[in-house]
């Protein structure tokens, strides 16, 4: 397959190794990858702040960037969730872009969703000795319904011990602009999440969204109790 990488804002600006590792994994599996340079933000930040016209402008740019792609894969349940869940409402009065949005929805996937459900290869031959706990981010779990897919990949990494995360279903408090608009509530939520991560006994915190992992690990580091946070893709990169 020819796979177009949707790197996302956080991936592009702060965690470029995510995109590089995705490209290496897909290439090793025999696929070709490309990076449409017209890609932009999914629009979630402006959408969550109520700027619908600005969001439509950003969303159109994203749709146009991947119009000719065979399949689109991102290292983020949050960004793919934004496309799948909110683009239909954004373009309900625009028949041209409503159709284009549906086309993008039908061919876009979060990384573990694509590897497990489309490529049918949860075992990528990775080996990594560590104790990890998995944080199920809200958008990946609730908007995309991704529960078994990330666990299928983690369970196939030889040497990895997966420890349960207490109260795993609770939000980490990031929520993008939520953490800026309501910092006190956000901090209380991430403080609780950090306690649960530490209580798990894991050496590494893993998940599908770098926003959540950055929020949790940043709080723990600030309070001198940090453990490494690694995206599932980064774990695979180490193990492969």
């Amino acid at each position: 397959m020819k796979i177009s990488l949707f790197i996302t804002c956080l991936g592009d600006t702060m965690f470029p190794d995510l995109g590089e590792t995705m490209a290496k994994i897909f290439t090793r599996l025999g696929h070709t990858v490309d990076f449409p340079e017209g890609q932009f933000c999914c629009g979630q930040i402006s959408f969550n702040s109520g700027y619908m016209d600005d969001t439509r402008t950003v969303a159109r740019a994203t749709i146009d960037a991947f119009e000719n792609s065979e399949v689109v894969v991102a290292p983020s349940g949050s960004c793919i969730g934004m496309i799948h869940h909110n683009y239909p409402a954004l373009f309900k009065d625009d028949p041209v872009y409503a159709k284009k949005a549906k086309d993008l929805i039908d061919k876009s996937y979060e990384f573990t969703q694509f590897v497990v459900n489309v490529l049918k290869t949860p075992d990528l031959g990775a080996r990594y000795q560590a104790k990890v706990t998995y944080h199920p981010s809200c958008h990946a779990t609730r908007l995309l319904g991704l529960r078994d897919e990330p666990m299928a990949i983690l369970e196939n990494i030889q040497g990895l011990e997966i420890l349960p995360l207490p109260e795993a279903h609770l939000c980490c408090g990031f929520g993008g602009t939520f953490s800026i608009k309501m910092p006190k509530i956000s901090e209380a939520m991430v403080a609780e999440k950090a306690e649960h991560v530490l209580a798990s006994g894991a050496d590494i915190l893993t998940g599908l969204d770098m926003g959540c992992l950055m929020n949790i690990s940043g709080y723990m580091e600030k309070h001198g109790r940090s453990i490494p946070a690694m995206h599932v893709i980064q774990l695979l990169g180490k193990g492969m």
Side-chain angles (χ1 to χ4, degrees):
M1 300 180 73
K2 185 176 182 181
I3 301 168
S4 295
L5 304 183
F6 180 24
I7 300 302
T8 77
C9 300
L10 268 184
D12 185 39
T13 58
M14 302 186 72
F15 305 100
D17 63 300
L18 280 181
E20 295 170 1
T21 304
M22 273 205 307
K24 291 176 182 177
I25 290 171
F26 290 141
T27 300
R28 179 174 292 191
L29 292 175
H31 306 284
T32 58
V33 298
D34 70 353
F35 174 79
E37 294 189 8
Q39 65 182 273
F40 203 58
C41 176
C42 67
Q44 186 173 168
I45 296 173
S46 55
F47 180 85
N48 289 343
S49 297
Y51 296 101
M52 296 299 112
D53 289 340
D54 293 321
T55 303
R56 275 185 278 271
T57 299
V58 172
R60 287 189 186 99
T62 298
I63 291 169
D64 291 344
F66 295 108
E67 186 170 11
N68 297 317
S69 296
E70 178 183 345
V71 66
V72 180
V73 181
S76 168
S78 185
C79 297
I80 295 297
M82 169 67 190
I83 293 171
H84 286 210
H85 193 69
N86 294 317
Y87 277 22
L90 276 174
F91 295 110
K92 62 182 176 61
D93 297 322
D94 183 338
V96 173
Y97 271 89
K99 171 63 168 61
K100 290 184 176 184
K102 185 180 185 305
D103 291 343
L104 178 57
I105 291 167
D106 290 343
K107 64 183 180 183
S108 59
Y109 303 87
E110 181 276 332
F111 174 83
T112 65
Q113 181 185 37
F114 181 69
V115 169
V116 174
N117 296 338
V118 179
L119 298 184
K120 309 292 185 183
T121 54
D123 187 352
L124 297 173
R127 298 171 180 266
Y128 196 75
Q129 292 284 340
K131 295 179 180 180
V132 305
T133 193
Y134 171 73
H135 166 64
S137 53
C138 295
H139 289 170
T141 305
R142 295 176 173 87
L143 295 187
L144 297 180
L146 300 181
R147 293 175 174 84
D148 298 333
E149 291 84 352
M151 296 307 296
I153 288 180
L154 292 173
E155 289 167 357
N156 277 289
I157 299 178
Q158 294 187 39
L160 203 66
E161 182 181 353
I162 306 169
L163 300 176
L165 177 63
E167 302 289 348
H169 65 282
L170 294 179
C171 176
C172 75
F174 181 54
T177 53
F178 169 78
S179 61
I180 298 171
K181 294 176 180 176
M182 301 183 180
K184 295 298 184 183
I185 298 175
S186 174
E187 185 171 2
M189 293 171 73
V190 73
E192 184 177 26
K193 177 64 71 172
E195 290 297 332
H196 292 151
V197 170
L198 294 169
S200 74
D203 304 320
I204 296 172
L205 169 66
T206 192
L208 301 184
D209 280 285
M210 287 309 304
C212 302
L213 296 177
M214 181 177 65
N215 184 46
I216 301 166
S217 63
Y219 178 86
M220 290 193 294
E221 183 176 344
K222 178 181 177 181
H223 291 83
R225 307 168 66 194
S226 185
I227 66 171
M230 297 173 65
H231 195 287
V232 169
I233 293 171
Q234 292 172 316
L235 275 178
L236 286 172
K238 295 285 188 183
M240 294 173 69

